[in-house]
Amino acid sequence: MYYALKYGLLFLVIILLQVLLFNNLDLNIYTSPFVYVAFVALLPMELASIYVLLLGFVMGVTMDVSMLTMGINTIASLFTAYTRSFILELTVGKEILNDGGVPSIKRLGFVKMVRYITLFCLIHCIIFFSLETLSFQYMYLTVLQIICSTLISVLLLFFVSIAFQHKPILRL
Amino acid sequence: MYRFILFVKKVYVLLLFIILEVTALHFYTNSSSYTKANLLPLSNSVVAEFYGYSSSVVSYFNLKNENDILEAEIINLKNQLEQNRVMIQNFDTIDVKIDSLEYVYASATIVNNTIARQRNYITIDKGTKDGIEVDMAIVSIEGFVVGYVIECSETFALGISILNIDFKSSGRIGNSDWYGPIYWDGVSHENIMLSDIPKYAEINRGDTIYTTSFSSIYPPGVMIGSVESFEINESMLYDVKVKLFAHMSAVNKVLIIKNNNLVEKKTLEEKYNNI
């Protein structure tokens, strides 16, 4: 129950952040900050994969409606949600994955956490931007978009995970 | 049968993933810029309402700037009015109804605008109850092309931005009357492309690009931008890089232009397009 409440709050905060702040930033053509990937990335590791998939789907559809992107967000976040267990296995190892818990620096260690969220964001950005352009004419542009957006998203995800792990003053 | 159920139980997550992913892909690949508009009533009512609140706060910070532009515009219009008065005095009575004008103007405020996507859209705070219709032109307050309306809800309207790879229009080079299609290549929010200009056309850097008279959306002679650079491509036609006059990341107040003859023109043209 406590978990459901906490993640419900995270869901709302992340949507507000993405829609009201980051979608309006328009830094430049290369960097699109995707803070919403944090929601799926920070789900507990022991959560059944069907729930991860469905929550990723809900998040993707919400973002598509707010960004008017016609399904690219859904495609990307569905894929990352489905492959999350493989990404975790690859970056943090089977033991930690089986033990469960919320992915955080404290739980995984700094290096493994960085590896995990970098791969997570990278996969998301590759799918998002290659589908958005759908041509090889501006390859260098797409690659640059992927790199820049991954970097900024990793940074944001890091902050979100730190804020999310912070013990609330009022324990529920 | 039991084995089959066991098998499904084993792979149902994968199956669900494939079904959802294929549905999303199907939806994405089959959506043209117009079918996209079908999703908009939903998105408009929820998101635009949302943006309406946030942009009403943000717009306070631009008030001084807006005032300066408006003042300049008022002076400009007063001067034109004076000129027209001189002309009108020659007639006894002039009865101008708003319906008989070819183009009608209205003002609106942008409540949401992106520039960083490949397909950027503009949401404005006027909708069907203010008389906004599909295919009305959106022009910045200084009179530069910004986009056009593709879908309206009751209180909001959605426009396709000039910075959208689906945006299609035509442009004319000011000094030499050569024209060609205009599109955005998705690279920079300050530039768009004008293509198919013959190699013997005379182009100079800094030439102004205007809208053409055969656009059914824009009045002829609306300024788009100026020639920044041009190069000849392999089919011996010029590709002209145009620097936009409108600062797409800073537009706030816009003019909406209605073409009263649009329906008549379209029905006439469709007669022969269907043959």
Side-chain angles (χ1 to χ4, degrees):
Chain A
M1 190 59 213
Y2 171 65
Y3 259 139
L5 205 73
K6 210 172 162 190
Y7 277 99
L9 205 68
L10 180 72
F11 186 74
L12 277 179
V13 168
I14 279 177
I15 287 178
L16 287 178
L17 269 179
Q18 182 78 48
V19 173
L20 287 183
L21 182 63
F22 292 110
N23 284 359
N24 292 330
L25 271 185
D26 281 333
L27 294 170
N28 52 49
I29 201 106
Y30 306 110
T31 28
S32 312
F34 296 115
V35 68
Y36 76 90
V37 296
F39 181 66
V40 175
L42 294 182
L43 286 172
M45 287 183 279
E46 69 270 24
L47 192 68
S49 50
I50 184 80
Y51 294 118
V52 178
L53 188 70
L54 287 176
L55 286 170
F57 179 68
V58 171
M59 197 55 167
V61 171
T62 317
M63 283 304 124
D64 272 330
V65 170
S66 71
M67 289 190 204
L68 286 178
T69 37
M70 294 303 138
I72 324 179
N73 283 308
T74 313
I75 296 166
S77 74
L78 266 176
F79 190 82
T80 43
Y82 181 72
T83 50
R84 195 181 88 118
S85 55
F86 305 109
I87 298 171
L88 273 167
E89 208 181 308
L90 203 73
T91 50
V92 305
K94 219 163 185 148
E95 304 89 56
I96 298 179
L97 177 61
N98 288 339
D99 288 350
V102 179
S104 67
I105 304 171
K106 220 163 129 196
R107 181 76 189 82
L108 309 179
F110 185 78
V111 180
K112 281 181 175 172
M113 183 68 181
V114 170
R115 266 205 314 222
Y116 164 54
I117 56 180
T118 312
L119 189 63
F120 197 87
C121 291
L122 186 68
I123 291 174
H124 187 94
C125 289
I126 287 173
I127 295 172
F128 186 92
F129 288 109
S130 40
L131 275 176
E132 195 183 33
T133 25
L134 272 183
S135 80
F136 291 106
Q137 199 187 348
Y138 297 104
M139 263 285 269
Y140 74 97
L141 181 76
T142 314
V143 171
L144 216 64
Q145 275 180 330
I146 290 170
I147 294 169
C148 293
S149 300
T150 305
L151 287 178
I152 192 133
S153 300
V154 165
L155 206 68
L156 285 171
L157 219 156
F158 217 80
F159 287 133
V160 171
S161 92
I162 290 169
F164 186 63
Q165 275 305 304
H166 199 78
K167 285 244 165 63
I169 301 158
L170 233 170
R171 274 320 278 266
L172 287 171
Chain B
M1 193 61 202
Y2 180 66
R3 275 194 159 185
F4 179 71
I5 293 171
L6 266 188
F7 175 72
V8 170
K9 221 172 171 183
K10 222 174 184 178
V11 295
Y12 75 110
V13 179
L14 178 67
L15 275 176
L16 188 70
F17 165 67
I18 290 170
I19 292 168
L20 288 175
E21 194 79 320
V22 168
T23 318
L25 264 169
H26 180 81
F27 187 70
Y28 174 61
T29 46
N30 284 320
S31 62
S32 71
S33 75
Y34 278 88
T35 53
K36 266 170 206 166
N38 292 334
L39 199 103
L40 289 177
L42 170 75
S43 151
N44 248 357
S45 53
V46 183
V47 182
E49 201 72 35
F50 219 53
Y51 284 130
Y53 288 122
S54 68
S55 78
S56 64
V57 176
V58 175
S59 68
Y60 276 104
F61 299 109
N62 297 327
L63 279 182
K64 199 193 166 316
N65 204 356
E66 295 292 327
N67 257 347
D68 293 345
I69 296 169
L70 286 178
E71 257 171 41
E73 198 61 25
I74 288 171
I75 293 164
N76 186 10
L77 291 176
K78 283 246 165 159
N79 288 337
Q80 283 181 24
L81 188 70
E82 210 55 45
Q83 286 168 10
N84 287 344
R85 214 193 325 261
V86 178
M87 291 197 314
I88 288 171
Q89 272 162 2
N90 301 331
F91 302 99
D92 285 345
T93 51
I94 287 189
D95 185 17
V96 183
K97 288 203 186 85
I98 206 111
D99 291 345
S100 64
L101 294 171
E102 196 179 351
Y103 294 101
V104 184
Y105 291 73
S107 75
T109 309
I110 291 182
V111 287
N112 184 32
N113 176 25
T114 60
I115 57 165
R117 302 255 91 85
Q118 293 290 297
R119 291 181 178 82
N120 295 299
Y121 296 93
I122 301 165
T123 318
I124 56 171
D125 67 342
K126 296 233 166 126
T128 43
K129 75 168 165 37
D130 308 290
I132 304 295
E133 291 162 19
V134 172
D135 279 349
M136 284 187 175
I138 304 175
V139 171
S140 73
I141 205 102
E142 300 96 330
F144 309 137
V145 171
V146 168
Y148 60 84
V149 178
I150 54 167
E151 177 69 24
C152 314
S153 67
E154 202 182 318
T155 40
F156 295 98
L158 187 98
I160 185 166
S161 164
I162 197 167
L163 302 181
N164 186 316
I165 50 176
D166 294 328
F167 180 92
K168 295 272 162 6
S169 192
S170 54
R172 178 175 65 83
I173 297 169
N175 299 333
S176 58
D177 283 354
W178 293 103
Y179 59 80
I182 268 191
Y183 62 91
W184 188 49
D185 52 4
V187 178
S188 157
H189 67 274
E190 290 180 333
N191 299 103
I192 53 161
M193 301 300 290
L194 169 67
S195 61
D196 293 359
I197 301 292
K199 64 170 181 175
Y200 41 85
E202 199 183 304
I203 312 178
N204 298 308
R205 279 198 62 192
D207 279 354
T208 309
I209 308 293
Y210 297 94
T211 53
T212 55
S213 53
F214 41 80
S215 158
S216 46
I217 291 169
Y218 298 102
V222 177
M223 286 189 271
I224 300 172
S226 63
V227 175
E228 187 173 287
S229 63
F230 48 90
E231 57 184 28
I232 216 149
N233 62 18
E234 58 276 14
S235 48
M236 299 317 258
L237 294 162
Y238 277 123
D239 283 331
V240 184
K241 197 173 171 189
V242 179
K243 189 167 171 56
L244 283 173
F245 281 144
H247 297 292
M248 289 304 292
S249 50
V251 275
N252 185 26
K253 288 266 183 237
V254 286
L255 296 175
I256 311 296
I257 309 176
K258 181 189 180 183
N259 183 353
N260 274 327
N261 299 339
L262 179 68
V263 180
E264 191 185 331
K265 189 182 170 212
K266 271 199 170 164
T267 34
L268 184 69
E269 285 173 351
E270 262 169 26
K271 242 193 236 172
Y272 287 91
N273 284 340
N274 292 339
I275 293 175

